[in-house]
Amino acid sequence: MNVIQTNSLTKTYNGKGGISDVTLSVGEGIVYGFLGPNGSGKSTFVRTLLGLLQPTSGEGYILGEPIGTTKSREKVGYLPELFRYPDWLTGKQLLEAHAELCKIPVRQRKKRIEEVVELVGMTGREKGRISGFSKGMSQRIGLACAILNDPKVVFLDEPTSALDPIGRKDVRDLMLYLRDQGKTVFLNSHLLYEVESVCDHVSIVHQGDMIVQGPWRELMMIEAQIEIVTDQPISVPMPTFVTHVEKIKEEEARTRWGIQLENEDDIPKIIQYLSSNGIALYEVKPITPHLEDVFMHWVNQKKESAYVDH
Amino acid sequence: MWTISKLTFKEIISKRIFLITIIMTLVFLALYGTAIYFAGKEGTQVGPNGVQGTETILVQQFISSQLLGVGLYFSSFITALLAILSSVSAISGEVSSHQIDTWLMRPISRAQFVWGKFVGLALIMIAYAVVLFFSIILLHQGIGKEWMELDIQPMQMIKAVSVFVIQPFVLIAFGLLLSTRMTTLNAGIVSIVLYGAAFIGGFIEQFGALIEKAALVNIGVITSLIFPIDSMYRKMTMILFDSIDNPLSLAQGGMFTSVSNPSNVMVWYAVVYGIVVVFLSIYSFKKRDV
């Protein structure tokens, strides 16, 4: 069963902004990245799923329940991007209030609160007033709130925005821990490296449109590129699947070349072709594209298709 | 719903403004008690050789009911202001700060949230109004000694306080309704202007009753129908000062009590008005984006 399912879900503000026509399915036990720059509609999408915003059109389901219903939020956790908690409460009181709202049995509350406080690294500090918490501590207590009810799906909206490098690593570890527990983590982020390091599946959104979605590994394969080192110039005519050849550097008697291919399957073919034409290969190295390049590739591709459509 | 009520209740108690309110209320009660003490002390000297004639009794009744009236009027005013100020930000404040996000994403409905807020606010404001009401009565009847003491039966007090608390009840419901749609500032302005209009309407009604002008009375009645606040205060004073055993009691009300007597239907109208407004708040909040 899909944990999250949307069909042409749209939320706009008087016809402008927001996010349009999002159709996606998110399975169980994965970290799903919703990647896009600031203002691309990521938070709007999550807030619509959680019933905080009314959809303009389309439909959505969480754990099979229509969005906006109380039932759809029973097994859900959420850390908002603009996290603000009542500063007159202590961290523990906040968790107790949420435990009550989630109908966690009274007998289990204390134990569960202790567990989540430990998971987010706040043990010993949960009794302090939120007004005295740093931004990072507030974000940690927010994370504790998000996972308090042992949710099946957790929405994390820019969860590391206020954290230092250690905190970021802790959150990444927590996401992977939740995934290993069979939970689904829906991660909203504009940080490419964050998405790359934890996400199994990714959607890229830009200016309110969903551009592409799929397994991150596949999305990364926007092009196949290799670097080779030869002891002579490449003078033979290149086959058609080679889209670009570029001399990168001369290194004493050898030369380093960059070769762009149509796809990954062309790598063994080009090695064979060059060898059969008497070109000795001293090194062959596949090149991983820069994350920014991957993102821009999909954004540009969408723009081009929009241009053609018009 | 109860979790939200408890949080609302706790929130008000935990804020510094609550402590300031309590201190200022105690200051007000101390001042009032002092005034009553001296009025009672001076009052006993009225009348030749301590003998109280009809005129003295009339003066005593008039001054005494005036002092009780002013105490209750000011109490009603403070309660109304606190009810307005606490309710107009109840939802709009949380929406603008996004604090509401983490509450509403829990499996509770918008209706439960509004009811929770309403019950929390109403409980604390009604408790405050009851304490203030009885503090004034106790100070007046206790410190004022025999000279200030009015003939008020326990049942009269219970009935009067029941009507007295309708005012914060209605104001909280109305403030909450505005808070579901407006910013805190706008909701506060609208509430205070309407409260002022109700006060003026009530004044016009009293004046109309005094000079027997039906048109003026009708203006007051219409104002009460739109915003049944002042009429509840007037009804409360009618209950409190109206003693069947004492033929002078009603006549001694003065400017802080009432000339016209709002009907019992008006009381029920105000209660239903408050409940309907809460339902309107739920309806208004149900479909809005937060």
Side-chain angles (χ1 to χ4, degrees), chain B residues 66-200:
Chain B
Q66 283 293 286
L67 283 171
L68 181 57
V70 77
L72 290 173
Y73 196 85
F74 191 65
S75 303
S76 151
F77 178 71
I78 304 175
T79 311
L81 271 188
L82 286 175
I84 290 171
L85 295 177
S86 57
S87 60
V88 291
S89 65
I91 290 174
S92 58
E94 290 210 16
V95 170
S96 63
S97 69
H98 282 283
Q99 269 187 33
I100 205 164
D101 292 6
T102 48
W103 300 130
L104 288 184
M105 64 71 50
R106 292 300 179 197
I108 57 163
S109 65
R110 299 269 179 116
Q112 284 173 312
F113 187 81
V114 174
W115 271 117
K117 282 275 171 196
F118 176 75
V119 170
L121 285 170
L123 279 179
I124 198 157
M125 286 316 304
I126 287 173
Y128 177 81
V130 169
V131 170
L132 200 53
F133 178 89
F134 282 110
S135 301
I136 293 289
I137 299 277
L138 284 174
L139 282 173
H140 184 272
Q141 301 289 79
I143 295 178
K145 297 184 181 167
E146 281 179 22
W147 197 84
M148 289 292 286
E149 201 178 343
L150 290 170
D151 180 22
I152 302 171
Q153 299 303 311
M155 193 44 83
Q156 271 179 287
M157 285 189 216
I158 292 166
K159 279 185 184 170
V161 78
S162 306
V163 176
F164 187 70
V165 299
I166 295 173
Q167 195 179 27
F169 175 83
V170 170
L171 283 168
I172 287 165
F174 198 80
L176 213 53
L177 172 65
L178 297 182
S179 185
T180 60
R181 284 286 155 185
M182 293 181 181
T183 61
T184 303
L185 184 64
N186 291 349
I189 290 169
V190 172
S191 291
I192 288 172
V193 166
L194 272 173
Y195 177 73
F199 169 79
I200 291 167

Side-chain angles (χ1 to χ4, degrees), chain A:
Chain A
M1 185 185 73
N2 285 323
V3 174
I4 304 165
Q5 173 72 53
T6 66
N7 302 320
S8 300
L9 190 65
T10 298
K11 173 62 191 176
T12 54
Y13 306 95
N14 298 321
K16 292 175 194 163
I19 191 148
S20 300
D21 205 22
V22 176
T23 299
L24 58 78
S25 307
V26 180
E28 214 170 341
I30 60 164
V31 182
Y32 192 98
F34 208 55
L35 178 68
N38 292 328
S40 56
K42 304 186 301 290
S43 296
T44 298
F45 181 69
V46 168
R47 289 161 60 76
T48 308
L49 286 178
L50 293 170
L52 299 171
L53 302 174
Q54 306 294 324
T56 309
S57 62
E59 54 182 12
Y61 300 88
I62 297 177
L63 299 163
E65 299 293 337
I67 57 169
T69 58
T70 52
K71 219 160 171 45
S72 71
R73 301 193 292 269
E74 271 177 6
K75 279 289 172 190
V76 170
Y78 172 48
L79 174 72
E81 182 185 12
L82 301 163
F83 52 94
R84 274 282 305 273
Y85 300 98
D87 55 7
W88 47 274
L89 289 175
T90 65
K92 196 177 171 207
Q93 286 170 335
L94 177 78
L95 294 170
E96 281 167 351
H98 276 274
E100 221 175 302
L101 286 173
C102 297
K103 297 185 179 71
I104 296 174
V106 182
R107 283 180 189 176
Q108 294 169 20
R109 272 180 210 167
K110 194 170 173 276
K111 191 169 168 264
R112 182 61 189 156
I113 287 171
E114 282 170 4
E115 276 172 11
V116 294
V117 163
E118 198 185 332
L119 266 174
V120 300
M122 282 286 285
T123 305
R125 290 181 292 175
E126 78 278 17
K127 286 172 188 158
R129 277 209 176 205
I130 292 172
S131 56
F133 281 6
S134 66
K135 222 176 162 192
M137 283 164 78
S138 294
Q139 198 153 28
R140 282 172 187 266
I141 208 77
L143 276 166
C145 259
I147 57 172
L148 182 67
N149 58 333
D150 193 22
K152 285 188 176 163
V153 53
V154 189
F155 292 91
L156 302 178
D157 198 350
E158 307 284 2
T160 58
S161 59
L163 298 176
D164 53 31
I166 297 168
R168 281 182 212 153
K169 189 188 173 300
D170 288 348
V171 172
R172 280 200 292 274
D173 290 346
L174 179 67
M175 284 191 268
L176 296 174
Y177 168 80
L178 291 170
R179 184 190 64 183
D180 294 344
Q181 298 282 309
K183 321 284 184 200
T184 300
V185 178
F186 192 95
L187 171 68
N188 258 12
S189 182
H190 70 278
L191 303 172
L192 291 156
Y193 67 87
E194 188 170 83
V195 171
E196 187 207 19
S197 58
V198 288
C199 293
D200 310 295
H201 282 64
V202 171
S203 283
I204 294 177
V205 285
H206 185 62
Q207 293 177 344
D209 291 319
M210 194 164 85
I211 289 165
V212 69
Q213 63 171 317
W216 181 233
R217 234 189 82 77
E218 285 177 24
L219 295 184
M220 287 280 285
M221 294 298 154
I222 51 172
E223 60 192 11
Q225 202 176 350
I226 53 168
E227 263 183 38
I228 58 167
V229 176
T230 61
D231 59 354
Q232 57 185 290
I234 302 174
S235 50
V236 292
M238 280 294 169
T240 51
F241 57 79
V242 174
T243 56
H244 185 68
V245 178
E246 182 188 6
K247 188 195 283 180
I248 298 173
K249 189 156 80 167
E250 300 250 3
E251 294 165 347
E252 293 174 7
R254 286 168 191 168
T255 312
R256 185 172 289 273
W257 305 84
I259 300 179
Q260 234 170 56
L261 305 159
E262 280 178 348
N263 60 58
E264 223 175 356
D265 298 337
D266 298 328
I267 296 174
K269 286 190 211 162
I270 189 72
I271 294 168
Q272 198 178 11
Y273 176 79
L274 292 172
S275 302
S276 62
N277 281 282
I279 297 172
L281 297 172
Y282 289 85
E283 190 181 323
V284 178
K285 190 168 76 176
I287 303 297
T288 311
H290 287 295
L291 296 171
E292 284 79 6
D293 294 339
V294 176
F295 182 77
M296 288 315 296
H297 166 85
W298 291 111
V299 169
N300 290 333
Q301 198 168 74
K302 176 77 177 181
K303 277 183 188 163
E304 279 164 23
S305 72
Y307 181 75
V308 172
D309 289 348
H310 281 97

